[in-house]
Amino acid sequence: MTATLSEKDLEAHFEHTISKDQRIEPRDWVPEGYRKTMIRMIAQHAHSEIIGMQPEGNWITRAPSLRRKAILLAKVQDEAGHGLYLYSATETLGADRGDLTERLVTGRQKYSSIFNYPTLTFADVGVIGWLVDGAAICNQVPLCRSSYGPYARAMIRICKEESFHQRQGFELLMTMMKGTRAQREMVQEAVNRWWWPSLMMFGPPDGDSPNTAQSMAWRIKRHTNDELRQRFVDMSVPQAEILGVTFPDPELKWNAERGHYDFGAVDWDEFKQVVSGNGPCNAERVEHRRQAHEDGAWVREAAAAHARKTQEVAA
Ligand SMILES: [Fe+2]
Ligand SMILES: [Fe+2]
């Protein structure tokens, strides 16, 4: 064995690992672009989990029954756990968690645009579970085979929990749809507000998504944004029929030739506005996160002091 491997050998080993569909692990050399892309992607995902606690957390104290409250609490706590695994995964790539939080609260790093919409009624809790967690599953199931090992493994557990989130949302909506006319209207109204933003969760159309080709070549991503969006539409229409709700899209119809549902154009201007910070709740979400981070400073200080003491005693 040679004493040191040249950059060329390392690169060849990396390419070989990817081409064999094997996982890249923290001990492995990776090109700088891969490391940066992976950190950005996992950090944005982690931020989305943590910011995503807010819209629904808003309803915990107002849940209509003990059962609904217990379910919602469990779900929101799961999202916190998802954020924590994912921040840990970024640390295996050399990122610093404090730095990532700093980037989030100063607007330098993004999170999913969906969490910048308000939750106006309790039906929103059901619709978020059904559509938003449903879209997250569509996005995340293929990521269980992502080339970066720690991310792929985190995704397996996360997807199991997301599927509980989706089911509880659907079950809540089903209960409301069997209720009064006012409840049914509340569900339909929430569906009308969340449908288009859910389709935006898959990101810009393929022609407008500059990072997709490289991410697919590195097998970080397995499908394009448009493929996943189509899969989500095809999956959601029959579920809407079972529930007895409609989607606010007059162009939505089955295309027998394609074997898929056709659907209308997503308002990409709205998406750009929300992603660039001008959605209905962006400022509120980031400010809430910043405040929570500041309020938690004493916990971090205490943990660091305890770790120092333990080390001193051991020494
Ligand atoms: Fe999650
Ligand atoms: Fe979830």
Side-chain angles (χ1 to χ4, degrees):
M1 194 180 152
T2 50
T4 50
L5 288 166
S6 71
E7 181 118 336
K8 220 171 161 193
D9 296 331
L10 292 166
E11 185 128 29
H13 181 72
F14 171 81
E15 294 294 344
H16 180 79
T17 307
I18 297 279
S19 72
K20 289 280 173 212
D21 237 343
Q22 287 164 353
R23 300 283 92 88
I24 303 291
E25 295 299 337
R27 59 168 187 266
D28 296 328
W29 180 92
V30 295
E32 198 47 23
Y34 179 91
R35 197 179 70 85
K36 284 202 172 123
T37 302
M38 227 41 250
I39 291 177
R40 195 193 62 233
M41 184 171 166
I42 305 175
Q44 281 180 8
H45 190 167
H47 297 330
S48 303
E49 300 284 358
I50 297 295
I51 295 280
M53 296 166 73
Q54 291 184 40
E56 289 178 284
N58 178 36
W59 281 94
I60 291 173
T61 54
R62 294 175 290 163
S65 68
L66 182 59
R67 178 169 176 270
R68 291 293 169 203
K69 184 174 176 137
I71 294 171
L72 186 54
L73 258 177
K75 191 212 175 212
V76 172
Q77 284 178 347
D78 283 352
E79 308 300 9
H82 299 172
L84 297 182
Y85 308 145
L86 292 168
Y87 284 125
S88 300
T90 65
E91 288 180 327
T92 68
L93 288 155
D96 176 77
R97 195 182 292 216
D99 174 56
L100 297 179
T101 300
E102 189 61 28
R103 281 167 197 263
L104 169 65
V105 298
T106 53
R108 282 176 298 147
Q109 231 165 24
K110 307 215 177 300
Y111 54 88
S112 178
S113 57
I114 194 80
F115 302 117
N116 292 310
Y117 292 87
T119 41
L120 305 179
T121 71
F122 198 72
D124 289 26
V125 170
V127 173
I128 289 177
W130 174 39
L131 295 179
V132 176
D133 290 278
I137 293 169
C138 265
N139 258 328
Q140 290 169 14
V141 165
L143 294 175
C144 296
R145 294 186 299 125
S146 176
S147 59
Y148 191 58
Y151 189 46
R153 288 188 290 273
M155 223 34 68
I156 293 171
R157 172 153 175 193
I158 288 176
C159 282
K160 284 182 186 161
E161 293 177 349
E162 296 303 353
S163 108
F164 149 63
H165 300 169
Q166 207 255 0
R167 295 288 288 269
Q168 66 82 36
F170 193 82
E171 191 259 355
L172 163 53
L173 296 179
M174 205 50 154
T175 305
M176 289 184 79
M177 290 305 286
K178 286 180 189 150
T180 64
R181 189 173 149 188
Q183 284 176 303
R184 282 192 290 278
E185 283 172 1
M186 198 186 273
V187 172
Q188 182 62 59
E189 189 272 336
V191 169
N192 292 348
R193 279 182 290 110
W194 290 97
W195 175 245
W196 290 108
S198 301
L199 295 191
M200 294 175 197
M201 284 177 70
F202 298 92
D206 294 348
D208 215 3
S209 175
N211 299 325
T212 294
Q214 181 63 77
S215 294
M216 299 225 352
W218 278 333
R219 302 199 187 175
I220 293 171
K221 273 173 84 162
R222 297 284 177 157
H223 307 281
T224 71
N225 297 351
D226 286 332
E227 284 166 13
L228 293 168
R229 191 167 9 251
Q230 180 72 63
R231 188 178 288 187
F232 175 69
V233 171
D234 291 347
M235 180 180 106
S236 300
V237 173
Q239 295 174 355
E241 281 164 8
I242 294 168
L243 271 178
V245 295
T246 56
F247 291 129
D249 179 0
E251 290 172 53
L252 184 66
K253 64 169 188 296
W254 179 249
N255 182 329
E257 216 170 281
R258 291 201 310 123
H260 293 290
Y261 283 92
D262 289 335
F263 54 99
V266 175
D267 182 353
W268 293 113
D269 286 334
E270 176 181 325
F271 174 75
K272 280 177 198 149
Q273 281 297 316
V274 177
V275 166
S276 58
N278 303 317
C281 302
N282 295 58
E284 180 187 328
R285 299 287 185 243
V286 171
E287 174 52 25
H288 187 89
R289 180 72 196 99
R290 195 194 58 73
Q291 190 64 52
H293 186 64
E294 240 169 59
D295 292 347
W298 70 273
V299 179
R300 294 188 295 279
E301 282 160 20
H306 177 72
R308 255 196 323 274
K309 252 189 208 163
T310 312
Q311 249 172 8
E312 277 166 21
V313 170

